[in-house]
Amino acid sequence: MKRARKKCGVWLIGAHGGLATTMTVGTLMARRDLVSKAGLLTETEPFRQLALPALSDLVFGGHDVRQTTVYQSAYDIYKDTGTFDLEKLQAIREELEEIDQDIRIGTAFNCGATIRRLAAAKARKRPGTLRAVIADIQGDLLAFKDRHKLDQVVVVNVASTEPPLPPSPALETAKGIRAVLDADGRKALRASVLYGYAAADLGFPFINFTPNVGSLAPGIQVIARKNGAPFMGNDGKTGETLVKSALAPMFKYRNLKVLTWQGYNILGDRDGQVLANPENKRAKIRTKDGVLSQILGYPLHTHVGIDYVPSLNDLKTAWDFIHFEGFLDFKMSLQFTWQGCDAILAAPIVLDMVRLAAFAQGKGESGLMTWLSCFFKSPVGVDQHDLHFQFHHLMDYVRVHLEGGEWKSGLVARTGQVRLPR
Amino acid sequence: MKRARKKCGVWLIGAHGGLATTMTVGTLMARRDLVSKAGLLTETEPFRQLALPALSDLVFGGHDVRQTTVYQSAYDIYKDTGTFDLEKLQAIREELEEIDQDIRIGTAFNCGATIRRLAAAKARKRPGTLRAVIADIQGDLLAFKDRHKLDQVVVVNVASTEPPLPPSPALETAKGIRAVLDADGRKALRASVLYGYAAADLGFPFINFTPNVGSLAPGIQVIARKNGAPFMGNDGKTGETLVKSALAPMFKYRNLKVLTWQGYNILGDRDGQVLANPENKRAKIRTKDGVLSQILGYPLHTHVGIDYVPSLNDLKTAWDFIHFEGFLDFKMSLQFTWQGCDAILAAPIVLDMVRLAAFAQGKGESGLMTWLSCFFKSPVGVDQHDLHFQFHHLMDYVRVHLEGGEWKSGLVARTGQVRLPR
Amino acid sequence: MKRARKKCGVWLIGAHGGLATTMTVGTLMARRDLVSKAGLLTETEPFRQLALPALSDLVFGGHDVRQTTVYQSAYDIYKDTGTFDLEKLQAIREELEEIDQDIRIGTAFNCGATIRRLAAAKARKRPGTLRAVIADIQGDLLAFKDRHKLDQVVVVNVASTEPPLPPSPALETAKGIRAVLDADGRKALRASVLYGYAAADLGFPFINFTPNVGSLAPGIQVIARKNGAPFMGNDGKTGETLVKSALAPMFKYRNLKVLTWQGYNILGDRDGQVLANPENKRAKIRTKDGVLSQILGYPLHTHVGIDYVPSLNDLKTAWDFIHFEGFLDFKMSLQFTWQGCDAILAAPIVLDMVRLAAFAQGKGESGLMTWLSCFFKSPVGVDQHDLHFQFHHLMDYVRVHLEGGEWKSGLVARTGQVRLPR
Amino acid sequence: MKRARKKCGVWLIGAHGGLATTMTVGTLMARRDLVSKAGLLTETEPFRQLALPALSDLVFGGHDVRQTTVYQSAYDIYKDTGTFDLEKLQAIREELEEIDQDIRIGTAFNCGATIRRLAAAKARKRPGTLRAVIADIQGDLLAFKDRHKLDQVVVVNVASTEPPLPPSPALETAKGIRAVLDADGRKALRASVLYGYAAADLGFPFINFTPNVGSLAPGIQVIARKNGAPFMGNDGKTGETLVKSALAPMFKYRNLKVLTWQGYNILGDRDGQVLANPENKRAKIRTKDGVLSQILGYPLHTHVGIDYVPSLNDLKTAWDFIHFEGFLDFKMSLQFTWQGCDAILAAPIVLDMVRLAAFAQGKGESGLMTWLSCFFKSPVGVDQHDLHFQFHHLMDYVRVHLEGGEWKSGLVARTGQVRLPR
């Protein structure tokens, strides 16, 4: 099928981070065939038959609280983690440098001391009012769209983990959020909320890849839906949790009773550094921990640890120990060690989602993109964590569109049940 | 739902082996609530709503080439592997001893030198004619059915791995097999074929849990189907291959290219001892190795090793190393160590299948039970190895029956595709 | 060599714990040859040539804060962890029951809320005065010695981990400790100090296998030495730390720079339960963490985690991840998983030390038994953690005695250097 | 101490292999401080006080059967395994290119089909006579020495693994070897023997880092010793065997009975490719397998597997499973996964040995350098495999020289107290 030649902006909150840089570098290299398309689900069948934006249709820009260049960020990753090949990086250097003009200083508003320390002076300075911050963000977004004559701009939050927001009824409704903004109620919000609001208010699709649930607070969802924006979150599922959600069903299929599932993650990149702060870590652990009892259908002893190990850089290592009981109440175990690079695993699925979000908006769909649940640790509005169900829910969505059908919310509602594709 | 009070015989080929003994001991303990029902899928919902034989309806008997008692076999397992609790074993000792009268010396015909060495004199001695051996087997089966006034007898092959049979057109048809038997063509057959034929000829359901594919040679399938017997095989999926078939789809869901999947199994029980003979090992490796490329859809570097480690007894340990490539062609890895007891993992699924085979025959179904594919490394007639598809195929079968429907072969045909339950 | 036929008492503080029970059960089984002597270093050459007390010369008694019987404790271990064989346990049941008369209710004085909860009413009740508690302890010890006409009584602390004691100058000197006792200064002390003092004051050899350093506070050491008692501690080295101290030198031998050594311990026995309390855990982590930088000679990133996993009981599992840098600054890794039973690993080395302590006192030696450093995570007075040095220091001690020589403190001084003993 | 400014040649048999290239690249980078000196034991104390050749005194040359350039070999390693940094590689490019003139086509005489396939035409062609081949080798060595005005040339065999030589009495004596050469007895020899003879005959120090024991056949040793050459081999100890020899003593120290030690190595470089040929693999397995029973003092169940996994390149991964029995005959386990780069681990120890061999010859020492046993899987003339003894034997050697003493065979005996090799 011929793909629509529409230009699609990708606005990265956290544009100088490892994930955003890997997305940018990977897209540029892949479209020149310097690397394969591995990792991109949207480059396999049957996705290739959908009218998704091509890799060459994507235009990158974004916000970051740190001041550097895209090439420098990429070079640092080459040095520290070794995920890029230097010769190939040099081959796309000019293209990377062009992106610099589309990176703006973002806000680190209320993100906790660790993120603040990393931030440039401008990002740290006390904002005028919340409304003024939002106006700045939206100004940047619209200028980006305008400058590149983009048909669409998908906003993705790939920033660092903030401390969790205290629960607040104000964020539950559109009205509540607007009231907080009008009153300039700084304590109730963090940067993630401001970004989420800015995008929703403009009707731009939004992907929240972070555990900062504020980006998709219920009130923001209402606004986005009203403005025709599809959106999804929270917290990308890239490593240990991915394996968990693929493996746990096996125990159910055999009525093997999982007694204990201990998970220990060690990592050393900037994300790890931020998570070394217990305040920020709390938000992360929260989204990682609900998966198992949902899949298995009973409570069990679980533990999820995250520790900062600088020498690993972004090469996250996780050890999981699963203790289970079988016939005759005999205990057995399975342990696995996952050694993956978070940015390498995350970048292609963010790109997959960007393309699918642009597609959805093109089809006139708005609201929660439940069919992207397989990409999230804590998929908003979906309480099915079994990776296989989640994946086949996405396949259903694709099939409906390939058959020229219309995706109905009725189908979505059935996802929680034992619904899988034909 | 009230369960049918019908007595169901379980005829175990390899009745003194670790697996058969664990089935027997586990059933007796579980029906007295000395242990939980963990491991038995048929004791979970929605299986509990089907009219399956209850655990207390099962009556055990079987053939073995070694001469001992059921209690002694169980006691040896307690000593060597520790999977039974001695006090509970003593509590069921009398019941175990009653089973001894239903264990007959079987045939080790053409099973290779290692099995022959383990066998009792009677089992080793040169059989009269193949027809005579079959007549003996059938005599034992019918006497068992008669003595206990059984409604059904499900025959299960849980014997040791034989050397693989050389391919033979004679086994492809019912006629061909009968010709071999008439000609007493000893070289073309092994014990497993004789057992399979004996059961098929009587119209008894048959489960081949071993890699000895001769039990379900195409010609035998024809005979079984004609005589109204449901059957399924080959080679129970209990450990490393189970994990493989649960995990491999994850890589597909993310377009992560698996470069290498090395698997090393070490085990020390009688099965391990038999497999230490390269001749017997070949059959095993063969059924373990096709799983991955089918699931992933491309060829990859794989290796499956099995080594005999006496100190482990039946506590099989497997280490798998998976090397895969993601975005930017970056290589990552996952490794797992599986520490499970083969007999403990296998026993409940054999029981599950016995109950489901009895149920199927009760419903007038015959032929391949494709819905049991999730229990086999090399499911006959099913080339779908993805555990999740296999499991939901079984769920489909259950649902059709719970809704009072009739299971049609048409549904079976759809299994190979992306068919999963609603 | 003919062994001296002297009766040696073994007084176990924590007599109903898993470790003490395993020591007792193992000794009784081993001396009847129901099990091998594996795990006992003193049953290998050249130790067998020393005049150590024979296993059959050992008489067991002790204190515990819980009220139960030795057989019941042993039976519980059989049920929970499976380390004992039931038939063999029944074979020594009578002998175990005889020991019950020598178990007295101990003190849980100031041991923290978790230990208090486990304790019997009598152990929890507020003691009269510290002096009175000590008098009770000493009364029990002397009665035991008298009742069995023992030549010696070695006191070993195998109780649960207490919260760490705040540093106190009072414990630094004999005078200071006596002043605290005279003033009945309850806040400065815990049960471990009282036990240590009681033994030192009687001149009984003392082994502190726990991380409760108070048992061997400097002031107590002075008293013990003056009264002719040899002693050693702290915190038995049985699992992950043992492997660490054996492996770490390898990296030094190759100038491989260890960047990170992360260790995660999971366990589920009573010790794990006590350690789940952060207050008690602190003491444990402290003794586990100094080993590496001493061996390697430079600071490195380390982490030691201990988490409570009830399903494991005493089958402790530890995963260690070691990240190191070699030639060309290239990073590599080693990871290991240790699956050991703490009590099984600890019991024989406590017995080894009891025999060696009795031997030392028989030779007129008193004070720190530095040659036992290989058995401790935090050997008092020895800052050499390299297991190989520690072991050969013990071999030196044995050799000197086998050659009829006299062990001089001068030899001790040489241990710390980079020289294997000659 | 001021180092002697003598130029020392390093003649690499297998000069284009991964190991030789890593040695060359690493030396050039380290002497410009582009990388640290990690991995080089001779750059730590007390070695730094010995008058060893400095890194900047080393001059590289060698033989190889493949025709390429040093830079190209290095670039390939950068691409395939990623052990070099490209920018640093470019910085030393010119120096690498200068080495090309000192690389000569070597002989693949009788090395097996796999090596022959890799070899250049010239290396494959049938040699004139054995004597002529040796004359060519010696001509290359002397020309190299002459061209660079070298004080010494140390010859190191870092070529691929040959098929094992059939045992031959002719190689046992100097006379026997000369007779074979005179008779041009091609079947009895392989390339490794010719290289070893050529060096011995010239009195050049020789390090055999390969499992090709022919290089140091007894007859060759006699010749080398007579000509004043120190030498040592066989088969560098860099990975799994290194860990084994460091860990195994721990079990002895605790009288823990090792029942089973299974080791599985997977690797994908040229060495792995050569080892995929069972003929060549045999030699390797042989040197890896004797270590454990020597250290532990009893026979045990062991297995060493090596499998070729192309995707790993030189990043060798090994999984070892150790099953052991402790007190009460309770079974426990330790497993480890080693992920190291063979060339990175091997290169610095070859350099260490080159320096120490040059030093030894400078001191007038000749014959077996037993003090280098810690670097070999199968140290010639040393039957002590305990890494700690081996290492301290080397320390002894260093100390004697630092104290201005003379290393005597008597001193070697002195280490017998700590059971060091004779």
Side-chain angles (χ1 to χ4, degrees), chain B residues 306-324:
Chain B
I306 305 181
D307 287 310
Y308 179 48
V309 172
S311 66
L312 283 172
N313 294 319
D314 198 33
L315 301 174
K316 184 159 81 171
T317 297
W319 179 70
D320 274 39
F321 177 82
I322 306 147
H323 207 201
F324 61 96

Side-chain angles (χ1 to χ4, degrees), chain D residues 234-408:
Chain D
N234 292 322
D235 205 7
K237 180 155 80 172
T238 55
E240 188 221 7
T241 312
L242 177 69
V243 181
K244 261 182 191 165
S245 65
L247 255 184
M250 180 188 80
F251 295 96
K252 196 176 58 182
Y253 299 168
R254 292 291 161 95
N255 193 18
L256 296 167
K257 189 179 175 200
V258 180
L259 305 167
T260 298
W261 195 309
Q262 301 284 114
Y264 297 93
N265 297 268
I266 52 180
L267 79 169
D269 55 3
R270 201 166 297 116
D271 201 37
Q273 205 177 333
V274 170
L275 290 173
N277 185 329
E279 193 186 32
N280 305 52
K281 188 164 161 176
R282 234 179 356 259
K284 190 79 182 178
I285 298 278
R286 195 173 290 177
T287 62
K288 279 177 87 81
D289 209 11
V291 170
L292 291 168
S293 62
Q294 186 279 323
I295 296 178
L296 294 168
Y298 49 85
L300 65 157
H301 183 95
T302 64
H303 173 90
V304 179
I306 304 181
D307 287 309
Y308 179 49
V309 171
S311 65
L312 282 172
N313 296 319
D314 198 33
L315 301 173
K316 183 159 81 170
T317 297
W319 179 70
D320 275 39
F321 178 83
I322 307 146
H323 207 201
F324 60 96
E325 206 165 65
F327 200 46
L328 284 152
D329 304 331
F330 190 74
K331 290 177 182 175
M332 297 167 282
S333 72
L334 173 63
Q335 55 185 286
F336 66 81
T337 301
W338 169 263
Q339 294 173 298
C341 174
D342 260 11
I344 289 292
L345 291 158
I349 65 178
V350 179
L351 288 166
D352 284 334
M353 288 194 283
V354 163
R355 298 168 100 176
L356 287 161
F359 174 85
Q361 199 177 35
K363 290 287 176 187
E365 296 163 5
S366 68
L368 278 173
M369 295 183 281
T370 56
W371 54 93
L372 300 181
S373 61
C374 64
F375 297 121
F376 291 103
K377 286 198 195 74
S378 189
V380 183
V382 177
D383 52 13
Q384 175 57 266
H385 288 291
D386 179 321
L387 182 68
H388 314 289
F389 278 122
Q390 293 177 334
F391 178 75
H392 289 289
H393 181 37
L394 173 56
M395 289 294 103
D396 263 2
Y397 174 85
V398 172
R399 231 170 340 250
V400 164
H401 280 293
L402 284 178
E403 292 164 3
E406 196 183 334
W407 182 258
K408 294 191 202 109

Side-chain angles (χ1 to χ4, degrees), chain D residues 131 168-182 193 197 200-201 217-227:
Chain D
R131 285 286 188 196
S168 155
L171 298 180
E172 297 297 302
T173 61
K175 201 174 153 189
I177 289 183
R178 289 196 185 107
V180 170
L181 295 178
D182 291 339
V193 184
Y197 179 86
D201 189 52
I220 291 179
Q221 292 184 34
V222 171
I223 296 165
R225 196 176 294 112
K226 198 177 357 179
N227 292 325

Side-chain angles (χ1 to χ4, degrees), chain A residues 36 38-41 237 253-255 327 329 332-333 335-337 339 341 344 374 388 392 418 420-422, chain B residues 36 38-41 237 253-255 327 329 332-333 335-337 339 341 374 388-389 391 418 420-422:
Chain A
S36 80
L40 284 163
L41 187 62
K237 180 156 79 172
Y253 300 168
R254 292 290 161 97
N255 193 20
F327 201 47
D329 304 331
M332 295 166 284
S333 72
Q335 55 186 288
F336 67 81
T337 300
Q339 293 173 297
C341 173
I344 289 292
C374 65
H388 314 288
H392 288 290
V418 194
L420 277 185
R422 252 128 316 175
Chain B
S36 81
L40 285 162
L41 186 62
K237 180 155 80 173
Y253 299 168
R254 292 290 162 95
N255 193 18
F327 201 46
D329 304 331
M332 296 166 282
S333 72
Q335 55 185 287
F336 66 80
T337 301
Q339 294 173 296
C341 174
C374 65
H388 313 289
F389 278 121
F391 178 76
V418 193
L420 277 185
R422 249 127 316 180

Side-chain angles (χ1 to χ4, degrees), chain C residues 16-173:
Chain C
H16 286 314
L19 171 45
T21 306
T22 303
M23 284 173 65
T24 311
V25 166
T27 302
L28 298 189
M29 287 186 184
R31 69 195 190 196
R32 284 189 180 213
D33 287 324
L34 296 174
V35 296
S36 80
K37 307 277 195 307
L40 285 162
L41 186 63
T42 45
E43 292 290 332
T44 64
E45 292 302 335
F47 294 89
R48 293 166 58 96
Q49 299 171 45
L50 287 180
L52 305 175
L55 288 184
S56 54
D57 297 333
L58 302 180
V59 179
F60 293 91
H63 281 115
D64 205 287
V65 298
R66 291 182 308 122
Q67 211 155 5
T68 178
T69 68
V70 178
Y71 180 78
Q72 186 60 45
S73 296
Y75 183 82
D76 289 350
I77 290 172
Y78 154 72
K79 275 295 193 197
D80 293 343
T81 309
T83 42
F84 304 144
D85 178 280
L86 182 58
E87 292 172 302
K88 294 173 184 173
L89 195 57
Q90 286 161 347
I92 59 163
R93 180 170 187 160
E94 269 181 49
E95 285 177 82
L96 288 175
E97 284 170 348
E98 276 168 34
I99 296 171
D100 286 333
Q101 63 176 325
D102 288 307
I103 313 267
R104 297 279 169 270
I105 287 288
T107 178
F109 175 68
N110 219 359
C111 290
T114 311
I115 293 175
R116 190 182 317 276
R117 259 195 306 279
L118 295 170
K122 193 180 159 220
R124 281 196 313 267
K125 86 156 189 248
R126 199 167 189 284
T129 63
L130 296 180
R131 284 287 190 196
V133 176
I134 289 168
D136 282 353
I137 294 171
Q138 293 186 329
D140 291 338
L141 281 165
L142 293 169
F144 173 62
K145 190 175 180 200
D146 198 50
R147 186 160 51 249
H148 295 283
K149 302 194 190 340
L150 303 169
D151 295 280
Q152 289 173 290
V153 176
V154 180
V155 180
V156 295
N157 189 355
V158 289
S160 289
T161 302
E162 300 171 353
L165 262 184
S168 155
L171 299 180
E172 297 297 303
T173 60

